[in-house]
Amino acid sequence: MLSCWFFAQTAGLGPVAEIDGSAGAQNPANLGAKTPLHPFDFGQYLFKWALCGVRPQFWRTLALAEGWVMPRLLNGFRAKRLAPMFGFAAVAALSVLSGCYSEPHFEPNAVFRFRVEAETDQDQAKAAEAVNALVADWFGTPDRPQWPAIAETTAATDSLLQVERLNRAAGPQRSDREDNHYGLYRELCSNCHGLTGNGRGPTAMFLDPYPRDFRPGWFKYKSTKRGSRPTRDDLYRLIKHGIPGTSMPAFAAIESHEHDKKKNDDLDAVVDYVIYLSVRGEVERLLLYEVANDEGLLEGARARMSDQPAGSATTEVSSSSQATSTTETSNVSTASNAAPVVAQPVVIESTFEIKAKEVFVDVLSKWAGSQEQVVNAQLPAWWNEPAEHADAIAQGRAIYLGATAACANCHGKSGGGNGLVRDYDDWAKDGTVRAGIEPADRAALKPYLAVGGLKPVPISPRDLRLGIYRGGSEPADIYRRIVQGIEGTPMPAVALKPDNPQGLSEDEVWQLVAYVMNMKAEVAGAIPAEGDVASRENVDEVQP
Amino acid sequence: MKVSMSWLKFGLLLAGALCSTFGANSVIAQEWADLKMTFVYDGKAPAAKPVDASKDPLCLEDGNKIVTENMVVNATNGGIRYIALSLDVKDASKLKIHPDLAKASADKVLLDNVKCVFVPHVVVMRSGQTLEVKNSDKTGHNANFGFFKNQAQNVTVPSGASKDLKIEKEETAPTPVECNIHPWMKGYVIVKDHPYVGVSDENGALVIKGLPAGEELKFRVWHENQNKAISEVTINGKKEKWDRGYVTMTLKPGENNLGTIKLAPERFK
């Protein structure tokens, strides 16, 4: 039963709010209260919940989950650190009892806190508390997004997203009389990516690769340099087309409304919201890191907390957002759909707040500056000349097998991917390797899983013979994958001239692109190269 | 008792007054200290484990054997290699730095790939310096740096090639560097705003030179295979607490040798 609540909270799949206002009273003041957990509350909660109407797909997920996931999840609950969550669960359950709609909250980044605690060898509860309060103040909640109005970031913000539009993708799924859709993120994405954008929606644990955790700000498929943020266009294109070969679906359907082709902003609103979640999550991460490593800041943070009466952090968010959202405490009304989000002024006085501002400015400039980080990828003239192109494929094959590019080391001589022995992506390493835990060590993993980390799944080099490219199948996409590598994964950037005299020239990279893109055609009659035998079995697994 | 206390106070006051009068007139030159210590494994030295590198025959040429480097203990004297001790300061610009060390060297800091291991295993550098990632092997390598404050990097380094990386910012924790082509290859990079970092050698000996003498300095000890922070040590037979791996000391001018620091096997994984 606990799990039901857990899912509802993490996935934001609570009951769909009624727009006509018949249901959904919830008093934010309740949220601050601490009430002991009683099993009966949960029974009652479930009962109400069922009455209030839960989407069938959710029940399906639950049924699936109960048998397989629950033992693991409950295993996690044994950890002492999760004890506060029980309290929170009780509060949430109680607040739901007062009506059908409970305002969800962003989940604190417990896995990152776990890593920082390992690194500093110190409990970071105080630091996390302070950071979470500030982040809630600055960014609001899943239903009431906010954006900090800071003079230094106005220009960057304007170039990056439309703050007013954040309410389009935020909140529960709903629509207004003009058939504008709201709550798009929760309708379309949070199942996988989680309400917080932590990549841990209710279906996440069944997927490989796992859905993206937006909070570290690492993205794989983009036109920009490794380590830079994607551009808006990159995100737009990726969400529109999905990621072939993974569970990430294409959302071309929401690109425009059937009856109004000009109103083309549902997808843009979703892009805004992904950026919002990522910025919010990265600020939380970086600020926690700073505070955990600088006791002076923690003093400032404590002072900030003690300035406010207990529980007021949540209350304050609600009261300040009342100015902009007409929701009040009642329900998610039609009026709130139309009310745009307005950037909110924030208090910046203590050293802690000054640090938070620094971090925010830093994160935002990375996003706003991504356009300057775009990697130039100009198709060579020979690309469309069949004879020359055929030559290039032959050249590319030699480069592929050669020591400079080293592709075959991981992808295998014939592209089937024979290389890596148990490697993991950076999302998995973040809470394991970086916290001193070997991802393959089941016993050592326990505390990581207990704080909500997803079981690390090894990453393998792509089987290039399938010809399925996750990051787009234009030659320029493959070119960029090769010269930058794939962020967050073991796939490295190739060595390039002139920076690296022994490296490949631009033209040689294009030859490599031509070869890679021809592998699928080539594979039909090909004899497997030595050393690729083992990987042939993988082919069936990978094939969708 | 009362009397003696007030006399003591008076004496202190007097001494203080004298000091301030004379001290103000004479320029006190900053004095510098060298810090030395030797880390020893307090138990039977664990043997290095062999690595299966058969996937890449180029790594095994000329009978090369590769062993794990995460716990290197000298079989003869028990010295623990690759323990790092770094000065912990919030703001290095306020730190007194020996004139010889004030400016980071313009030379590049080398991280080489030799016989399919990273050399050195633990690289120490200052923010603003350039890290040259070199490949002296016949086989190709990549170097995947999990920086936190600096931009994460993952570059291919072909045989015989080098790749320069400018590292701008200090890193709070040692940064792991991995070669994903040869998954046993793992090293660390320590980036600080100041020059005061020491790494123990094959005998467990660690030296940090040119530290400011006469003021309280806080250090943090680290080893890649530590089981939580190294919070308890035995110095010349006496147990000491190094809370969360931190130790504070005030050094006298010249050499300061802490002697032998024994670490119990439980300090490691």
Side-chain angles (χ1 to χ4, degrees), chain A residues 255-416:
Chain A
E255 199 181 16
S256 72
H257 286 277
E258 232 39 288
H259 50 273
D260 185 358
K261 293 272 187 226
K262 266 180 290 175
K263 200 159 65 186
N264 201 0
D265 60 356
D266 276 6
L267 200 45
D268 269 317
V270 168
V271 170
D272 283 347
Y273 198 71
V274 168
I275 297 174
Y276 160 80
L277 286 177
S278 183
V279 169
R280 183 202 160 280
E282 199 179 351
V283 168
E284 178 191 1
R285 248 172 91 88
L286 298 184
L287 190 58
L288 182 61
Y289 197 77
E290 294 292 341
V291 179
N293 283 296
D294 186 343
E295 280 145 33
L297 283 176
L298 190 56
E299 289 308 312
R302 279 193 188 127
R304 183 175 194 277
M305 300 293 291
S306 57
D307 273 358
Q308 306 168 349
S312 75
T314 14
T315 328
E316 205 161 79
V317 174
S318 327
S319 57
S320 63
S321 59
Q322 271 168 23
T324 49
S325 117
T326 46
T327 329
E328 286 285 347
T329 55
S330 59
N331 54 33
V332 185
S333 65
T334 329
S336 79
N337 292 336
V341 178
V342 178
Q344 295 282 322
V346 289
V347 185
I348 297 168
E349 279 163 6
S350 68
T351 49
F352 174 61
E353 288 152 346
I354 292 167
K355 183 51 97 184
K357 183 177 110 175
E358 258 174 57
V359 167
F360 178 63
V361 170
D362 196 38
V363 170
L364 212 59
S365 67
K366 276 190 269 183
W367 275 99
S370 65
Q371 202 63 50
E372 283 101 73
Q373 303 296 324
V374 171
V375 177
N376 190 32
Q378 194 64 51
L379 264 186
W382 52 258
W383 191 268
N384 294 315
E385 306 289 335
E388 287 181 61
H389 194 105
D391 269 0
I393 290 174
Q395 303 277 344
R397 185 181 162 78
I399 297 167
Y400 177 88
L401 294 170
T404 303
C407 313
N409 279 325
C410 291
H411 291 281
K413 290 194 186 105
S414 65

Side-chain angles (χ1 to χ4, degrees), chain A residues 115 119-122 226 289-290 293 295 409 420 423 429 433-434 436 489-493 495 499-500 502, chain B residues 90 142 146 148-149 151 154-156 158 160-163 172-173 176 178 180-181 186 220 228-229 244 269:
Chain A
R115 166 188 164 167
E119 214 174 281
T120 57
D121 198 14
Q122 195 172 35
R226 192 187 191 114
Y289 197 77
E290 294 292 341
N293 283 296
E295 280 145 33
N409 279 325
L420 300 180
D423 208 337
K429 284 177 184 169
V433 179
R434 304 286 181 262
T489 80
M491 163 97 181
D499 186 31
N500 199 324
Q502 285 94 332
Chain B
K90 289 290 163 270
N142 76 300
F148 191 84
K149 300 263 174 119
Q151 197 161 94
N154 183 0
V155 292
T156 310
S162 282
K163 169 82 183 170
T172 312
E178 300 163 300
N180 305 94
I181 298 172
K186 195 166 184 185
R220 190 165 200 206
K228 300 254 169 84
R244 298 196 291 124
K269 279 185 206 140

Side-chain angles (χ1 to χ4, degrees), chain B residues 185-246:
Chain B
M185 289 178 67
K186 195 166 184 185
Y188 289 87
V189 186
I190 298 177
V191 192
K192 292 288 164 198
D193 287 338
H194 59 73
Y196 301 122
V197 181
V199 177
S200 63
D201 65 11
E202 64 274 21
N203 296 313
L206 185 150
V207 184
I208 306 178
K209 288 198 163 145
L211 286 153
E215 51 190 86
E216 193 167 89
L217 299 173
K218 189 169 154 198
F219 296 88
R220 190 165 200 206
V221 67
W222 171 87
H223 184 271
E224 64 179 290
N225 199 35
Q226 66 193 23
N227 181 11
K228 300 254 169 84
I230 296 170
S231 53
E232 198 186 82
V233 301
T234 308
I235 303 184
N236 298 332
K238 235 177 69 209
K239 272 212 171 112
E240 258 190 47
K241 281 262 173 284
W242 284 11
D243 184 36
R244 298 196 291 124
Y246 287 103

Side-chain angles (χ1 to χ4, degrees), chain B residues 93-127:
Chain B
S93 66
K94 297 202 184 95
L95 181 70
K96 291 184 194 113
I97 297 183
H98 192 285
D100 293 352
L101 305 167
K103 274 192 86 172
S105 156
D107 295 346
K108 294 179 201 167
V109 179
L110 185 70
L111 172 62
D112 203 349
N113 290 264
V114 184
K115 298 188 172 173
C116 297
V117 293
F118 285 117
V119 179
H121 182 61
V122 178
V123 183
V124 176
M125 64 187 296
R126 281 167 80 173
S127 44

Side-chain angles (χ1 to χ4, degrees), chain A residues 30-347:
Chain A
N30 280 352
L31 283 168
K34 287 242 155 57
T35 324
L37 170 67
H38 191 285
F40 177 69
D41 298 338
F42 271 102
Q44 224 185 14
Y45 163 55
L46 258 192
F47 182 65
K48 271 251 170 133
W49 192 32
L51 279 184
C52 290
V54 178
R55 282 182 290 171
Q57 82 206 53
F58 185 45
W59 284 115
R60 233 180 298 133
T61 315
L62 258 188
L64 245 175
E66 203 73 52
W68 190 81
V69 180
M70 276 322 106
R72 284 145 214 261
L73 236 137
L74 290 173
N75 184 29
F77 275 111
R78 247 190 267 133
K80 277 191 224 95
R81 205 175 283 133
L82 280 190
M85 280 189 60
F86 282 98
F88 184 60
V91 174
L94 282 177
S95 61
V96 165
L97 285 175
S98 63
C100 280
Y101 187 68
S102 139
E103 182 167 351
H105 283 256
F106 286 124
E107 245 186 288
N109 195 338
V111 174
F112 185 67
R113 174 176 154 192
F114 173 75
R115 166 188 164 167
V116 174
E117 286 181 342
E119 214 174 281
T120 57
D121 198 14
Q122 195 172 35
D123 175 61
Q124 298 293 356
K126 281 278 184 296
E129 189 189 358
V131 170
N132 294 337
L134 181 132
V135 171
D137 260 10
W138 287 24
F139 293 95
T141 67
D143 280 2
R144 304 151 195 245
Q146 280 177 202
W147 190 263
I150 294 173
E152 289 91 324
T153 60
T154 325
T157 300
D158 290 348
S159 72
L160 192 59
L161 46 73
Q162 291 182 23
V163 172
E164 323 79 74
R165 198 166 52 190
L166 282 175
N167 69 330
R168 287 290 306 280
Q173 185 187 345
R174 62 212 189 274
S175 54
D176 63 15
R177 288 190 196 88
E178 288 88 52
D179 200 29
N180 285 310
H181 289 267
Y182 292 85
L184 299 157
Y185 182 80
R186 229 171 287 176
E187 178 188 354
L188 305 168
C189 320
S190 71
N191 253 308
C192 294
H193 291 283
L195 190 62
T196 311
N198 56 10
R200 290 198 292 122
T203 48
M205 54 215 352
F206 306 108
L207 307 175
D208 177 16
Y210 288 133
R212 183 73 61 257
D213 176 354
F214 301 133
R215 298 169 303 173
W218 309 324
F219 292 85
K220 288 183 185 175
Y221 305 119
K222 56 199 171 192
S223 61
T224 54
K225 291 191 184 131
R226 192 187 191 114
S228 310
R229 300 296 168 267
T231 64
R232 270 196 78 91
D233 288 348
D234 289 340
L235 285 177
Y236 190 98
R237 178 177 168 227
L238 181 124
I239 297 165
K240 181 177 169 188
H241 297 294
I243 306 183
T246 79
S247 58
M248 167 77 192
F251 291 97
I254 63 162
E255 199 181 16
S256 72
H257 286 277
E258 232 39 288
H259 50 273
D260 185 358
K261 293 272 187 226
K262 266 180 290 175
K263 200 159 65 186
N264 201 0
D265 60 356
D266 276 6
L267 200 45
D268 269 317
V270 168
V271 170
D272 283 347
Y273 198 71
V274 168
I275 297 174
Y276 160 80
L277 286 177
S278 183
V279 169
R280 183 202 160 280
E282 199 179 351
V283 168
E284 178 191 1
R285 248 172 91 88
L286 298 184
L287 190 58
L288 182 61
Y289 197 77
E290 294 292 341
V291 179
N293 283 296
D294 186 343
E295 280 145 33
L297 283 176
L298 190 56
E299 289 308 312
R302 279 193 188 127
R304 183 175 194 277
M305 300 293 291
S306 57
D307 273 358
Q308 306 168 349
S312 75
T314 14
T315 328
E316 205 161 79
V317 174
S318 327
S319 57
S320 63
S321 59
Q322 271 168 23
T324 49
S325 117
T326 46
T327 329
E328 286 285 347
T329 55
S330 59
N331 54 33
V332 185
S333 65
T334 329
S336 79
N337 292 336
V341 178
V342 178
Q344 295 282 322
V346 289
V347 185

Side-chain angles (χ1 to χ4, degrees), chain B:
Chain B
M1 186 65 188
K2 216 174 183 179
V3 178
S4 66
M5 273 299 277
S6 46
W7 270 110
L8 192 72
K9 271 187 198 155
F10 176 73
L12 277 173
L13 258 174
L14 191 72
L18 282 172
C19 279
S20 57
T21 11
F22 293 110
N25 293 335
S26 62
V27 181
I28 299 174
Q30 173 67 45
E31 290 185 284
W32 305 101
D34 294 347
L35 179 62
K36 287 188 180 173
M37 64 200 76
T38 304
F39 288 98
V40 171
Y41 193 79
D42 200 1
K44 190 176 171 299
K49 295 186 192 77
V51 160
D52 174 15
S54 56
K55 209 196 100 202
D56 191 343
L58 286 175
C59 290
L60 300 173
E61 273 189 357
D62 307 324
N64 183 37
K65 288 204 172 62
I66 303 169
V67 292
T68 53
E69 286 190 297
N70 65 337
M71 192 75 236
V72 182
V73 180
N74 191 313
T76 11
N77 56 22
I80 307 170
R81 199 168 183 185
Y82 305 129
I83 288 191
L85 189 78
S86 324
L87 183 68
D88 184 75
V89 278
K90 289 290 163 270
D91 184 0
S93 66
K94 297 202 184 95
L95 181 70
K96 291 184 194 113
I97 297 183
H98 192 285
D100 293 352
L101 305 167
K103 274 192 86 172
S105 156
D107 295 346
K108 294 179 201 167
V109 179
L110 185 70
L111 172 62
D112 203 349
N113 290 264
V114 184
K115 298 188 172 173
C116 297
V117 293
F118 285 117
V119 179
H121 182 61
V122 178
V123 183
V124 176
M125 64 187 296
R126 281 167 80 173
S127 44
Q129 275 189 303
T130 298
L131 182 65
E132 178 186 352
V133 190
K134 191 176 161 195
N135 182 358
S136 300
D137 280 342
K138 282 190 203 153
T139 187
H141 289 291
N142 76 300
N144 190 350
F145 295 89
F147 286 120
F148 191 84
K149 300 263 174 119
N150 293 285
Q151 197 161 94
Q153 308 253 12
N154 183 0
V155 292
T156 310
V157 200
S159 170
S162 282
K163 169 82 183 170
D164 289 352
L165 302 173
K166 193 148 164 66
I167 311 299
E168 304 283 358
K169 294 180 198 153
E170 176 170 275
E171 291 283 342
T172 312
T175 300
V177 50
E178 300 163 300
C179 169
N180 305 94
I181 298 172
H182 306 104
W184 63 85
M185 289 178 67
K186 195 166 184 185
Y188 289 87
V189 186
I190 298 177
V191 192
K192 292 288 164 198
D193 287 338
H194 59 73
Y196 301 122
V197 181
V199 177
S200 63
D201 65 11
E202 64 274 21
N203 296 313
L206 185 150
V207 184
I208 306 178
K209 288 198 163 145
L211 286 153
E215 51 190 86
E216 193 167 89
L217 299 173
K218 189 169 154 198
F219 296 88
R220 190 165 200 206
V221 67
W222 171 87
H223 184 271
E224 64 179 290
N225 199 35
Q226 66 193 23
N227 181 11
K228 300 254 169 84
I230 296 170
S231 53
E232 198 186 82
V233 301
T234 308
I235 303 184
N236 298 332
K238 235 177 69 209
K239 272 212 171 112
E240 258 190 47
K241 281 262 173 284
W242 284 11
D243 184 36
R244 298 196 291 124
Y246 287 103
V247 53
T248 311
M249 40 192 147
T250 305
L251 304 174
K252 60 179 179 14
E255 187 179 298
N256 295 252
N257 195 340
L258 296 190
T260 300
I261 303 183
K262 282 196 171 161
L263 301 181
E266 306 91 79
R267 301 274 80 83
F268 301 95
K269 279 185 206 140

